[in-house]
Amino acid sequence: DDYKYKDKTRRPRQQLLFAMVCVFVLIALLLVFQESSLRTDVVLNNSLDGELTTILDVDPSQSGPESVEQLQNRIATAREQLRLAEQAIASLGTKPAASPAAPSNPLAAELEAAHLEIATLRAALRAGGGSQGRSEPPKPSVAALPPQNPSKQSATQNMPKITSSDTLETLWSRAHKPQRYHVAAHSTQPISPESKRRMEAVKEATQHAWKGYRTYAWGSDELKPVSRSTINNYGMGLTLIDSLDTLYIMEMETEFNDAVEWIRSNLRFQTDLTVSVFETTIRVVGGLLSAYELSGEEVLLTKATELTDILKSAFDSDSGIPFSTISMRSKSASNYGWAGQASVLSEAGSVQLEFRSLSYFTGSPEYADVGDKSFFAIRDTPGRVHGGLYPLFLTNNRPTRFTTQHVSVGAMGDSFYEYMLKLYLQTSQSDTRFRDMYLESASAVLDHLVQRSTDGYTYIAEMKGHQLEHTMEHLSCFFGGLLALGAHYLENVPDRHMEVARELARTCVEGYRKMRSGIGPEAWRFTERGMEAERRSEYILRPETVETLFYMYRLTGETKYQDWGWEIFQNLDKLKVESGGYSGVISVDTHPLQLDDHMQSFFIAETLKYLYLLFAPSDLISLDEFVFNTEAHPLRKFAVISQ
C-alpha cells in the first residue's frame, strides 16, 4: 500500500517534467531551423571566406576535374548572389523565415541557393594540397583593427597558383577568356573606418578629375584644366583609355560604360600622327587589356589587337629591338634624333607584359615572341656595367651595342628593371630567366648606386662613365616598391632588399615634406648640405612615391605608409582646378604655386589609383593575383603548371 501511494504522488510530477522537456526540445528545433534558413553576415564572412582561404592551398597538380580558376569564379558568383539577395531582403526591412528544406520566401531561396553552391565546392577543394612560393600576408580580423600588422611569411608558405592545362611552352596555344571581376566580391578584407573615409575622398578626387575631362576634353588625349582646352599628341582618347580600369575599380559604372561606348563608336587608329611605341603600349594597349580582363568587354580586346598590329611594325629591325616612334598611318618607324638614332632601354624593354597578355587572350604567339625577342636582345648586348646595370641607349641593328655609359633607374632606364621581376611574377613564378636577370640587376643597384646622404637619407644615384652623380629623380622612387615586391615573392632574397625599400620610401616622402608646398619635385640632389630640390622643381602629377607606399603597405601591413600617402593626397588638393580637373605645377618650392595647365593621363591611371588601393581592402586587386604594368594597369598572372 505504501508503494502504491508513492507511485500515485510521483506520476503528476513525471508528467510535468516530461512536458517541460518536450517544450525545450521543440524550442531548440525551431532555433536550429531558423538559423539554417537565415544566412547572415557571419556565414558570408566566416564560411565563404574560409572557402576562399582554402583555395590558396590547392596544389595545381592535385586538383580535381574542375580547375581552381573555375572554382574561384563560381565562388565569386555565389558571393554576388548572397550580396544581391541580402540587399533585397534589407530593403524589405526584415529577413524571411523559412525551413531549410523548402524556403517559403523567394529571397530566402536565393540565399539558400548561394550557400548550397558554396557547400558543393567544399569537397572539390578538400582534394588540394600545397603549392610553392609565398602569398600576400594574412590580414587581421575586425577585432584586431586598427592597426593591421600582418607578418612577413616564410619562403615555404603558399602562393596561390591557378591550375590550368598550360605550361610555359603552351601559354599562347589557345585563347583564354577572362571572367568578369566583381569588385564587391573582392573587397572583403576588413578595413578601419578611417581607411574607408580616405577611400571615399580619393574617389571624390577622381570624380572631379573625370568631370573636367568629360566636360572640356571628351575624346581628346589630355585636358588643359585652367584654359579648359585640350592636348592631342596621340589622337586616341589617351586619358579616357588610361582611366578605364580606375573607373572600374572605383565602381564608377556610368563613367566606365560611357567610356566603353566612346571606344566602340569612335576609336580609330588611322591618324597622321607619329607616336611613341612605348607610351602607346603601356597607356593604351595596357589600359585596354586591363579593362578587358576586369569587365569582359570584347571591344576592348579587339581594339588592343588592332593597335598592337600597327605597333609591332616598329620591331622590324635586325635585332628585334624596336624603334622608338611609329607613324600610325604609314607604319614607318624611327628613333629619336636626340638619342643619336639609338633605341631607349626602358622603351625597348617595357612592352613585354602587355604583348604577352595579348597573346594569352588571343591565342596568337606572335605578340609575345616580338616582345621577348627584344627583351633578350637587350640582355645579350655586351657592355653592361658591374654585371647587372644596363646603359640607357643601344643600337637596334646587329651586332647590338650600347652607345653610352650612362646608367640610371630613373628616366629611360626605370621600367626595364621593373619588367624583369614582373615578367617572372606574371608567369606564376615559372619563367626563371626573368628572375635571374632581376636578382643580378637588383644586386648591382644596391652595391653600386644606392648611397646615403649627409643628413641620413638613402637614395639611388646615377652613374656616368663609372662616376656617380648624386641626384635622384622622382621616377626612381618606384624602386622601393620594386625591391619590396621582390623581397616578398622571391626565395632567399637578402634582408637588405627590404631594408633599402623602407629607407627609399622614407626618403621620397621626406622629399615632399622638405618643399614649401608639401609636394615632391621632379628630382632631388644630395650635397654636403643634405637633400634639396634640384633645378627641376616641377611636379607633373607623378605617381612613383605613392606607388611605393602602396606596395609597402600591402606587403608589410604597417599603417604608417597609409598615413604618409594620406598626407601627400591632402597636399595634392592644392592642385585642384575648381571647374574640373587637376594641374601640375611649374615649381613645388614657390608660393603661390603656378599651375602648368596640364592634367597628365597618368594622374587618374596611376596616382589616384594607387592612392585608392592604398586604403582599400587588400584583396581588391590582390598582389597574389595581379601584376601592375608600369602605367599601373593590373594584369592577371597567367595560370601556369610548374614543370
Side-chain angles (χ1 to χ4, degrees), residues 170-182:
T170 63
L171 268 177
W172 330 125
S173 62
R174 63 185 176 92
H176 298 75
K177 185 174 177 61
Q179 293 293 322
R180 187 171 184 269
Y181 187 84
H182 296 280

Side-chain angles (χ1 to χ4, degrees), residues 254-463:
T254 299
E255 293 86 345
F256 178 82
N257 290 336
D258 288 348
V260 171
E261 188 54 41
W262 183 90
I263 290 169
R264 193 188 320 276
S265 303
N266 299 286
L267 184 59
R268 304 290 183 271
F269 301 116
Q270 293 301 313
T271 73
D272 293 322
L273 294 172
T274 296
V275 301
S276 163
V277 174
F278 163 70
E279 296 288 357
T280 305
T281 299
I282 65 170
R283 300 194 199 198
V284 184
V285 177
L288 290 168
L289 287 175
S290 179
Y292 167 67
E293 289 194 45
L294 295 173
S295 70
E297 290 282 354
E298 288 290 336
V299 67
L300 303 178
L301 178 63
T302 299
K303 294 299 182 181
T305 305
E306 289 177 12
L307 178 55
T308 308
D309 283 339
I310 296 172
L311 296 177
K312 69 181 182 178
S313 297
F315 293 76
D316 291 338
S317 67
D318 289 343
S319 64
I321 295 174
F323 293 93
S324 296
T325 66
I326 190 168
S327 167
M328 293 298 293
R329 191 177 298 278
S330 69
K331 299 184 182 179
S332 61
S334 61
N335 279 327
Y336 301 117
W338 55 261
Q341 301 306 320
S343 295
V344 178
L345 176 66
S346 64
E347 298 188 352
S350 305
V351 299
Q352 288 72 22
L353 284 173
E354 299 81 0
F355 279 34
R356 282 173 155 240
S357 285
L358 186 58
S359 284
Y360 191 70
F361 290 119
T362 62
S364 300
E366 56 184 308
Y367 308 112
D369 292 344
V370 163
D372 287 358
K373 184 178 180 181
S374 172
F375 204 84
F376 294 118
I378 298 171
R379 179 197 64 180
D380 296 338
T381 298
R384 282 180 277 165
V385 179
H386 298 301
L389 302 178
Y390 293 74
L392 299 182
F393 303 107
L394 72 165
T395 61
N396 62 359
N397 55 297
R398 288 196 181 116
T400 58
R401 61 182 179 84
F402 293 107
T403 62
T404 179
Q405 287 296 299
H406 186 180
V407 170
S408 172
V409 298
M412 297 180 288
D414 48 6
S415 49
F416 177 61
Y417 300 99
E418 177 185 359
Y419 274 35
M420 293 176 186
L421 175 61
K422 291 184 175 180
L423 284 164
Y424 176 59
L425 298 179
Q426 187 186 39
T427 59
S428 295
Q429 300 179 220
S430 296
D431 197 331
T432 57
R433 296 175 297 174
F434 301 115
R435 177 202 63 193
D436 295 344
M437 289 179 67
Y438 168 76
L439 289 174
E440 182 180 37
S441 291
S443 294
V445 170
L446 292 173
D447 291 343
H448 300 286
L449 298 183
V450 169
Q451 305 291 312
R452 193 165 184 85
S453 68
T454 57
D455 49 352
Y457 295 110
T458 296
Y459 62 97
I460 305 178
E462 298 188 6
M463 183 178 288

Side-chain angles (χ1 to χ4, degrees), residues 132-136 152-159 161 417-443 446 481-495 497-498 555 623-624 627 637:
Q132 297 177 346
R134 189 182 304 173
S135 65
E136 282 191 75
K152 179 177 176 179
Q153 299 194 3
S154 70
T156 59
Q157 286 184 285
N158 293 337
M159 173 186 165
K161 285 189 178 182
Y417 300 99
E418 177 185 359
Y419 274 35
M420 293 176 186
L421 175 61
K422 291 184 175 180
L423 284 164
Y424 176 59
L425 298 179
Q426 187 186 39
T427 59
S428 295
Q429 300 179 220
S430 296
D431 197 331
T432 57
R433 296 175 297 174
F434 301 115
R435 177 202 63 193
D436 295 344
M437 289 179 67
Y438 168 76
L439 289 174
E440 182 180 37
S441 291
S443 294
L446 292 173
L482 186 69
L483 286 172
L485 193 65
H488 187 78
Y489 282 107
L490 304 189
E491 304 291 345
N492 303 317
V493 174
D495 290 343
H497 286 233
M498 183 57 86
L555 298 173
L623 294 179
D624 290 340
V627 288
K637 297 177 180 180

